[in-house]
Amino acid sequence: MNGVRLLRGIVRKILLLSALLVIVLALLVSVGRETIGELDRYRSNINSYASTLLGLELESQELQGEWHQLTPQVTAKGLSIYGPDQQKPAITLDHVTLDLDLIQSVLSRHMVWRELQLGRVNLTAREDAEGNWTIAGLPLSGSGDSSGLLDVLFDSAYLEVELVSLSLEFFSGTESVLEARNILLENSDDFHRLLAVVNLAGTEQSAELIAEGRGDHRDFNNFDGIGYLKLNRIDFSGSLNALAKGWFPEIVERIGNIETDIKGEVWINLAGGEASLVGQVSAAEVPLNWLEDVTPLTNFKTEITGWFHPGEDWGLRLQGLDFDWGELQIEPLDINFRQAVGAEWDNGSLAVSQINLSLLDDLLVKARLAPDAIVDIVQQLQPMGNIHSLHLDLSLENKVPDVEIRANLEDVSISSWHGAPASRHINGYIEAHNDTGLLDLDSPNGFAVHYPQVFDDYMEHSAIRGQVKWRWDEASSAVKIFSGPLEFGGEEGLGRAYLYLDLPIGQPGDMPEMYLSVGVNNTHSRYRNRYLPRVLNTGLLDWLEQSVGDASIITEAGFIWRGALSRGDADLHSLQLYLNLADG
């Protein structure tokens, strides 16, 4: 009996609550129908209420309202949202149409929008010195949005946006604009799905984006998401050029705009507040349109990975980068680029797995990718061979860039430049930092060096080891090259050499000078000519020929040479020559 009374009481309360809810809804509908047509009269009050709700200043130019059954619909035109202490709006919307979910709003005691339709949205995102991004002063990482701005978006079951134009203002001063069209956002509790067409400002459709996320948007570090980006076309003008100009202004100015149909697929992962991507891109043809007489790159393809660490750095890695260029045979290579963010934006690095120096010569000279001064040096050096594990660290903090290079050399050959020796079969390790550098020579399978102003031919060695250093002397505008002991040997004997060069690059009237000391033990007489400077007079050469004759072994030989290297014959300052024969 008590159970029946209890059940009747519960039913009675439910019926009473339902009736009360119906009465409240009826009153809301009745009042709403009477007042919604005159919504614009209360625009200033509504703007003030919305500003308090969002924690941001909001202005609108016109408000319109309609009532469809139990669904009130509000349209706001000419909206502007300002961040704290900002004179210009960080967000503008040409119009917003909101369908209020009346029942859910009453039950949850805050406004819940069943459907939102937005027209053109303009956002300005700014990077601060720590590398963090904000829109209207609201963080895009870390703890997420502390205002109610994103609540309006993520509490809506369905959101349509005609166009979003996102202006990115980097701390470096560079600006880039990214556009997304036909945006659809669906929300269900903590699950969110986004569909959009993405492109750089001023270009046609270039990518299609599908993204899904799970978590609370107020806690970005615990928000996980995945995305798929399908690339259709890339235009390297505008935004991409603006980003590249910070690092390579002369090259970007020389190349201009490039448009190409690049196809690809990229998968994006968002976890712990950090983003990563992986995918592949390809293009049938990449035009070198800044050159009229150069064939385009064809069969371009690469795998791509990347990352973004808020407040730290971002980077891209191209793996298996491969393309054809006319008749040139090009080996696939890997490229890794990293750049710091915020106030450290001008610090970055570039790593390349290998470089064919003959190909580099063609790229720099034929494609005119380098300044004329660099092209002239490359043409004089005529480099050949391969560079492996090239790593470049670059900082643009000061007027003079800070540059550090490290690499391994394989069978490299260079011609003479400003009197410096020409060399073949260079193997070893090279590093340079601004105006200093060193080369650790380790060529166990052969090495040749030619002093063109002193000797007629190359000095051939079966092997060589040692270290050569150089530095730029600002006071005399000269390159100073000097070596430690260079040990060489093989069937031509065991020896040691020391080298010093003074190359006055910035003083055309001054002649390069060279100090060369070479000593060799237990060599054969047939190797003697490679160690005899051509500046010796005829009488001395005849005497040496008669003295050495057909002796089979020279137990000890050497010379110390010091002189100026002119365009013609060397200007000899001093020469010491000694020779000991095994048979007297």
mmCIF file of all heavy atoms in Angstrom, residues 7 13 43 74 140 154 193 202 247 251 288 343 346 357 392 401 436 482 520 527:
data_model
loop_
_atom_site.group_PDB
_atom_site.id
_atom_site.type_symbol
_atom_site.label_atom_id
_atom_site.label_comp_id
_atom_site.label_asym_id
_atom_site.label_seq_id
_atom_site.Cartn_x
_atom_site.Cartn_y
_atom_site.Cartn_z
ATOM 1 N N LEU A 7 4.484 5.540 -5.563
ATOM 2 C CA LEU A 7 4.476 5.570 -7.022
ATOM 3 C C LEU A 7 3.560 6.675 -7.535
ATOM 4 O O LEU A 7 3.914 7.407 -8.480
ATOM 5 C CB LEU A 7 4.039 4.210 -7.557
ATOM 6 C CG LEU A 7 4.001 4.079 -9.087
ATOM 7 C CD1 LEU A 7 5.400 4.330 -9.670
ATOM 8 C CD2 LEU A 7 3.509 2.681 -9.491
ATOM 9 N N LYS A 13 4.320 14.168 -9.335
ATOM 10 C CA LYS A 13 5.365 15.191 -9.437
ATOM 11 C C LYS A 13 5.906 15.307 -10.863
ATOM 12 O O LYS A 13 6.204 16.409 -11.345
ATOM 13 C CB LYS A 13 6.504 14.869 -8.481
ATOM 14 C CG LYS A 13 6.127 15.066 -7.013
ATOM 15 C CD LYS A 13 7.279 14.747 -6.101
ATOM 16 C CE LYS A 13 6.887 14.952 -4.627
ATOM 17 N NZ LYS A 13 7.996 14.621 -3.716
ATOM 18 N N ARG A 43 19.753 45.864 -29.398
ATOM 19 C CA ARG A 43 21.084 45.431 -29.851
ATOM 20 C C ARG A 43 22.189 45.840 -28.883
ATOM 21 O O ARG A 43 23.088 45.056 -28.589
ATOM 22 C CB ARG A 43 21.361 46.015 -31.236
ATOM 23 C CG ARG A 43 22.749 45.690 -31.791
ATOM 24 C CD ARG A 43 22.781 45.763 -33.314
ATOM 25 N NE ARG A 43 22.095 46.939 -33.800
ATOM 26 C CZ ARG A 43 22.684 48.109 -34.079
ATOM 27 N NH1 ARG A 43 23.988 48.254 -33.862
ATOM 28 N NH2 ARG A 43 21.987 49.132 -34.549
ATOM 29 N N VAL A 74 18.113 33.632 -34.707
ATOM 30 C CA VAL A 74 18.669 34.976 -34.589
ATOM 31 C C VAL A 74 19.781 35.146 -35.623
ATOM 32 O O VAL A 74 20.644 34.271 -35.765
ATOM 33 C CB VAL A 74 19.229 35.226 -33.170
ATOM 34 C CG1 VAL A 74 19.851 36.613 -33.083
ATOM 35 C CG2 VAL A 74 18.128 35.062 -32.130
ATOM 36 N N LEU A 140 45.796 29.467 -28.157
ATOM 37 C CA LEU A 140 45.448 28.337 -29.008
ATOM 38 C C LEU A 140 46.156 27.068 -28.561
ATOM 39 O O LEU A 140 46.077 26.045 -29.222
ATOM 40 C CB LEU A 140 45.824 28.643 -30.459
ATOM 41 C CG LEU A 140 45.054 29.798 -31.099
ATOM 42 C CD1 LEU A 140 45.491 29.992 -32.533
ATOM 43 C CD2 LEU A 140 43.561 29.547 -31.031
ATOM 44 N N PHE A 154 31.612 24.680 -29.994
ATOM 45 C CA PHE A 154 31.657 23.264 -29.647
ATOM 46 C C PHE A 154 30.410 22.783 -28.902
ATOM 47 O O PHE A 154 30.222 21.585 -28.735
ATOM 48 C CB PHE A 154 32.912 22.967 -28.823
ATOM 49 C CG PHE A 154 34.169 22.966 -29.639
ATOM 50 C CD1 PHE A 154 34.966 24.104 -29.708
ATOM 51 C CD2 PHE A 154 34.544 21.847 -30.349
ATOM 52 C CE1 PHE A 154 36.122 24.114 -30.463
ATOM 53 C CE2 PHE A 154 35.703 21.850 -31.118
ATOM 54 C CZ PHE A 154 36.484 22.984 -31.173
ATOM 55 N N ARG A 193 33.839 16.596 -35.310
ATOM 56 C CA ARG A 193 34.259 16.277 -36.677
ATOM 57 C C ARG A 193 34.237 17.547 -37.515
ATOM 58 O O ARG A 193 33.287 18.326 -37.454
ATOM 59 C CB ARG A 193 33.360 15.220 -37.302
ATOM 60 C CG ARG A 193 33.771 14.882 -38.753
ATOM 61 C CD ARG A 193 32.824 13.904 -39.415
ATOM 62 N NE ARG A 193 33.003 12.566 -38.833
ATOM 63 C CZ ARG A 193 32.055 11.908 -38.183
ATOM 64 N NH1 ARG A 193 30.861 12.491 -37.994
ATOM 65 N NH2 ARG A 193 32.275 10.704 -37.709
ATOM 66 N N GLY A 202 44.112 33.804 -52.072
ATOM 67 C CA GLY A 202 44.292 34.202 -53.463
ATOM 68 C C GLY A 202 44.471 33.056 -54.425
ATOM 69 O O GLY A 202 44.721 33.274 -55.615
ATOM 70 N N TRP A 247 64.234 33.672 -44.777
ATOM 71 C CA TRP A 247 65.495 32.927 -44.787
ATOM 72 C C TRP A 247 66.296 33.165 -46.064
ATOM 73 O O TRP A 247 67.510 33.316 -46.018
ATOM 74 C CB TRP A 247 65.203 31.430 -44.642
ATOM 75 C CG TRP A 247 64.767 31.072 -43.261
ATOM 76 C CD1 TRP A 247 63.496 30.944 -42.795
ATOM 77 C CD2 TRP A 247 65.617 30.819 -42.144
ATOM 78 N NE1 TRP A 247 63.487 30.628 -41.473
ATOM 79 C CE2 TRP A 247 64.779 30.532 -41.040
ATOM 80 C CE3 TRP A 247 66.995 30.795 -41.961
ATOM 81 C CZ2 TRP A 247 65.285 30.239 -39.783
ATOM 82 C CZ3 TRP A 247 67.496 30.501 -40.710
ATOM 83 C CH2 TRP A 247 66.649 30.229 -39.638
ATOM 84 N N ILE A 251 66.958 34.453 -53.169
ATOM 85 C CA ILE A 251 66.484 33.333 -53.988
ATOM 86 C C ILE A 251 65.002 33.491 -54.299
ATOM 87 O O ILE A 251 64.565 33.290 -55.438
ATOM 88 C CB ILE A 251 66.755 31.999 -53.275
ATOM 89 C CG1 ILE A 251 68.265 31.769 -53.154
ATOM 90 C CG2 ILE A 251 66.107 30.840 -54.028
ATOM 91 C CD1 ILE A 251 68.628 30.493 -52.428
ATOM 92 N N LEU A 288 60.313 25.462 -63.812
ATOM 93 C CA LEU A 288 61.292 26.463 -63.374
ATOM 94 C C LEU A 288 61.014 27.717 -64.194
ATOM 95 O O LEU A 288 61.777 28.099 -65.080
ATOM 96 C CB LEU A 288 62.721 25.951 -63.582
ATOM 97 C CG LEU A 288 63.034 24.589 -62.950
ATOM 98 C CD1 LEU A 288 64.485 24.191 -63.209
ATOM 99 C CD2 LEU A 288 62.760 24.618 -61.461
ATOM 100 N N ALA A 343 60.562 34.464 -30.428
ATOM 101 C CA ALA A 343 61.718 35.346 -30.507
ATOM 102 C C ALA A 343 62.953 34.638 -31.070
ATOM 103 O O ALA A 343 63.908 35.292 -31.481
ATOM 104 C CB ALA A 343 62.033 35.919 -29.121
ATOM 105 N N ASP A 346 64.686 33.218 -35.880
ATOM 106 C CA ASP A 346 65.791 33.317 -36.827
ATOM 107 C C ASP A 346 66.897 32.299 -36.562
ATOM 108 O O ASP A 346 67.997 32.418 -37.085
ATOM 109 C CB ASP A 346 66.380 34.734 -36.816
ATOM 110 C CG ASP A 346 66.587 35.273 -35.407
ATOM 111 O OD1 ASP A 346 66.531 34.476 -34.458
ATOM 112 O OD2 ASP A 346 66.807 36.491 -35.266
ATOM 113 N N LEU A 357 78.052 16.982 -56.182
ATOM 114 C CA LEU A 357 78.568 18.325 -56.454
ATOM 115 C C LEU A 357 78.430 18.719 -57.916
ATOM 116 O O LEU A 357 78.286 19.908 -58.223
ATOM 117 C CB LEU A 357 80.025 18.415 -56.016
ATOM 118 C CG LEU A 357 80.239 18.388 -54.496
ATOM 119 C CD1 LEU A 357 81.721 18.378 -54.169
ATOM 120 C CD2 LEU A 357 79.557 19.572 -53.833
ATOM 121 N N LEU A 392 73.655 22.147 -41.705
ATOM 122 C CA LEU A 392 73.829 23.593 -41.684
ATOM 123 C C LEU A 392 73.026 24.179 -40.540
ATOM 124 O O LEU A 392 71.814 23.971 -40.443
ATOM 125 C CB LEU A 392 73.362 24.196 -43.016
ATOM 126 C CG LEU A 392 73.214 25.720 -43.077
ATOM 127 C CD1 LEU A 392 74.570 26.397 -42.968
ATOM 128 C CD2 LEU A 392 72.511 26.140 -44.358
ATOM 129 N N PRO A 401 75.031 37.036 -40.657
ATOM 130 C CA PRO A 401 74.500 35.722 -40.266
ATOM 131 C C PRO A 401 75.565 34.857 -39.613
ATOM 132 O O PRO A 401 76.754 34.909 -39.961
ATOM 133 C CB PRO A 401 74.036 35.120 -41.599
ATOM 134 C CG PRO A 401 73.816 36.291 -42.501
ATOM 135 C CD PRO A 401 74.841 37.304 -42.092
ATOM 136 N N THR A 436 86.115 30.772 -40.081
ATOM 137 C CA THR A 436 87.131 29.754 -39.826
ATOM 138 C C THR A 436 86.599 28.378 -40.242
ATOM 139 O O THR A 436 85.388 28.174 -40.353
ATOM 140 C CB THR A 436 87.539 29.701 -38.338
ATOM 141 O OG1 THR A 436 86.384 29.334 -37.555
ATOM 142 C CG2 THR A 436 88.063 31.043 -37.868
ATOM 143 N N PHE A 482 96.439 26.966 -43.637
ATOM 144 C CA PHE A 482 97.636 26.369 -43.047
ATOM 145 C C PHE A 482 97.316 24.948 -42.606
ATOM 146 O O PHE A 482 96.184 24.617 -42.270
ATOM 147 C CB PHE A 482 98.117 27.212 -41.851
ATOM 148 C CG PHE A 482 97.016 27.635 -40.926
ATOM 149 C CD1 PHE A 482 96.705 26.892 -39.790
ATOM 150 C CD2 PHE A 482 96.266 28.774 -41.187
ATOM 151 C CE1 PHE A 482 95.686 27.285 -38.943
ATOM 152 C CE2 PHE A 482 95.240 29.172 -40.342
ATOM 153 C CZ PHE A 482 94.938 28.425 -39.206
ATOM 154 N N VAL A 520 110.343 13.311 -48.219
ATOM 155 C CA VAL A 520 109.937 11.941 -48.512
ATOM 156 C C VAL A 520 111.136 11.014 -48.332
ATOM 157 O O VAL A 520 112.285 11.389 -48.617
ATOM 158 C CB VAL A 520 109.375 11.837 -49.949
ATOM 159 C CG1 VAL A 520 110.402 12.240 -50.982
ATOM 160 C CG2 VAL A 520 108.825 10.448 -50.228
ATOM 161 N N TYR A 527 109.924 8.864 -59.428
ATOM 162 C CA TYR A 527 108.948 9.786 -58.847
ATOM 163 C C TYR A 527 109.538 11.173 -58.616
ATOM 164 O O TYR A 527 108.859 12.064 -58.103
ATOM 165 C CB TYR A 527 108.436 9.250 -57.509
ATOM 166 C CG TYR A 527 107.729 7.921 -57.609
ATOM 167 C CD1 TYR A 527 108.265 6.791 -56.993
ATOM 168 C CD2 TYR A 527 106.530 7.797 -58.304
ATOM 169 C CE1 TYR A 527 107.628 5.567 -57.069
ATOM 170 C CE2 TYR A 527 105.891 6.565 -58.385
ATOM 171 C CZ TYR A 527 106.444 5.451 -57.774
ATOM 172 O OH TYR A 527 105.809 4.254 -57.858
#
